[in-house]
Amino acid sequence: MGTAWAANNQFPWEIPRYVGGIENVKINITLRIYSNKWHVYAGLAILNPSAKKQIKQYAESVTELFKLMLGGHREELERRVRTAGAAVFKGDGDADLLLQDEVLDRFSLGELPPERQRVKNNHLSLLAMVDCWWKIGIVPYDHMICSTPLFRLWLGITEYLFRKPGLLAEVIDTAIEDNTFRADDLEFTFAARDWSERVSFGNMDGYREKFESIQKYFAPRFPEATRVGNEMIKTIEENMRKKEQT
C-alpha cells in the first residue's frame, strides 16, 4: 500500500476517500512498518520459507482478483470472495469483532469527511489477504498465540469487512461497478508483484533500496502515526482479552 501511494504521489490521510474506518487501519499499519528498520521486515520475508510462500500467493491473489474486477466478472469474483471468507471466518454477526466502528473512526491521521461524502472502496488489499489465507489453508485464529500486533490489526480489519454482510456486498459491487480506485488498484497490483519478486529472489539489496525510498517519502508523519498506532494496538489487544474470557 505504501508503495502504491508513493507511486501516485499520495499522502492518503490528506485525501477524503482514504480517511475513516478501515482506511485508518491501513494507513497506520503502513506507516508503522515504514517507521522501522528495513532489515527487520527483509529478514522476516526473505529468510522464512513460509513467508516466501505466503507473499507469492498474496501477489497472485491480488493479480487474479484485480483481473476479475477489470473484466467485470461479478459472479466469479463474488463466489471466490465468499468461499474464501467462509473458510477463514466462522463467527456469525459482528458483536464480538476485534475492531468496532467507533474504534476505527477514533484513530485517524486526517479529518473525517461527512458520512455523505464517504467514498466506497473495493478493498482489494483485504480481499486478497483472505483469498491468500484460503488458498494456502491458513486459519489465522489458530496462530494468535504467536501473532504480532500488526498481524492482529490486519486480522481485525479483514474480519470487520468479511463479517459485516452489508459491507462485503458493497465492496463486491464497488469492485465491479466503480472505477474510482482503479488507478490505485493498478499501482497496488504492481507493488504486490514487485515485492514478491524481490523476496523470491532473496534480494536483500533490492529490498532495502525499495523500502528506504518509500520510508523517506512518508517519514514526516512517523511520530504521529506511531502514537495513534500504539493506541489502536492497545485497544485491539484489550478486545482480544475480552474475547478469550468469554
Side-chain angles (χ1 to χ4, degrees):
M1 288 182 290
T3 304
W5 285 326
N8 282 331
N9 197 28
Q10 295 171 336
F11 292 97
W13 53 85
E14 297 175 353
I15 303 172
R17 72 186 191 199
Y18 278 122
V19 177
I22 290 175
E23 309 297 353
N24 288 343
V25 186
K26 288 182 181 179
I27 293 169
N28 278 289
I29 287 176
T30 300
L31 295 188
R32 193 173 184 87
I33 288 172
Y34 281 110
S35 66
N36 284 297
K37 300 295 186 182
W38 71 272
H39 61 79
V40 174
Y41 297 100
L44 289 171
I46 293 174
L47 302 180
N48 183 343
S50 295
K52 281 187 175 182
K53 178 182 178 182
Q54 290 185 49
I55 291 166
K56 183 176 185 293
Q57 179 56 57
Y58 183 74
E60 291 176 357
S61 293
V62 169
T63 303
E64 292 167 7
L65 292 176
F66 185 50
K67 287 180 179 179
L68 292 177
M69 294 177 186
L70 285 177
H73 303 298
R74 175 187 289 273
E75 291 185 7
E76 187 176 351
L77 176 67
E78 182 163 10
R79 182 170 58 250
R80 181 162 174 168
V81 166
R82 294 193 182 279
T83 300
V88 174
F89 302 107
K90 307 299 183 183
D92 296 322
D94 58 6
D96 62 342
L97 293 177
L98 295 173
L99 290 170
Q100 297 286 352
D101 291 308
E102 65 275 12
V103 174
L104 290 171
D105 282 341
R106 189 193 321 162
F107 302 110
S108 178
L109 289 175
E111 183 177 349
L112 292 173
E115 180 63 25
R116 66 180 181 278
Q117 295 181 12
R118 186 177 68 90
V119 178
K120 297 176 183 178
N121 192 337
N122 60 54
H123 294 302
L124 173 59
S125 61
L126 304 186
L127 297 182
M129 189 72 262
V130 177
D131 189 85
C132 172
W133 287 332
W134 167 54
K135 289 288 186 179
I136 295 178
I138 291 176
V139 177
Y141 299 99
D142 295 342
H143 305 276
M144 297 304 289
I145 193 170
C146 57
S147 63
T148 65
L150 286 179
F151 175 81
R152 293 168 196 164
L153 282 175
W154 199 242
L155 175 59
I157 54 173
T158 53
E159 176 192 72
Y160 178 91
L161 170 58
F162 275 81
R163 287 181 56 194
K164 283 182 170 285
L167 178 57
L168 185 60
E170 175 188 290
V171 164
I172 293 170
D173 286 342
T174 303
I176 298 298
E177 300 173 2
D178 193 331
N179 292 327
T180 303
F181 284 88
R182 283 290 187 262
D184 304 67
D185 292 336
L186 179 63
E187 289 292 353
F188 180 74
T189 303
F190 288 157
R193 293 167 66 95
D194 180 50
W195 279 114
S196 177
E197 288 176 358
R198 290 170 192 258
V199 169
S200 66
F201 294 148
N203 189 345
M204 282 285 190
D205 290 337
Y207 193 105
R208 179 176 187 174
E209 178 186 17
K210 185 82 170 182
F211 188 97
E212 290 186 339
S213 68
I214 309 301
Q215 183 179 59
K216 183 178 180 181
Y217 180 79
F218 287 112
R221 296 301 290 267
F222 286 160
E224 184 179 1
T226 299
R227 177 186 60 79
V228 173
N230 287 341
E231 294 174 3
M232 189 179 290
I233 288 169
K234 181 180 178 181
T235 299
I236 198 172
E237 288 181 341
E238 289 173 354
N239 289 345
M240 285 186 65
R241 283 195 291 270
K242 293 177 183 177
K243 200 171 184 178
E244 292 168 354
Q245 293 170 0
T246 59

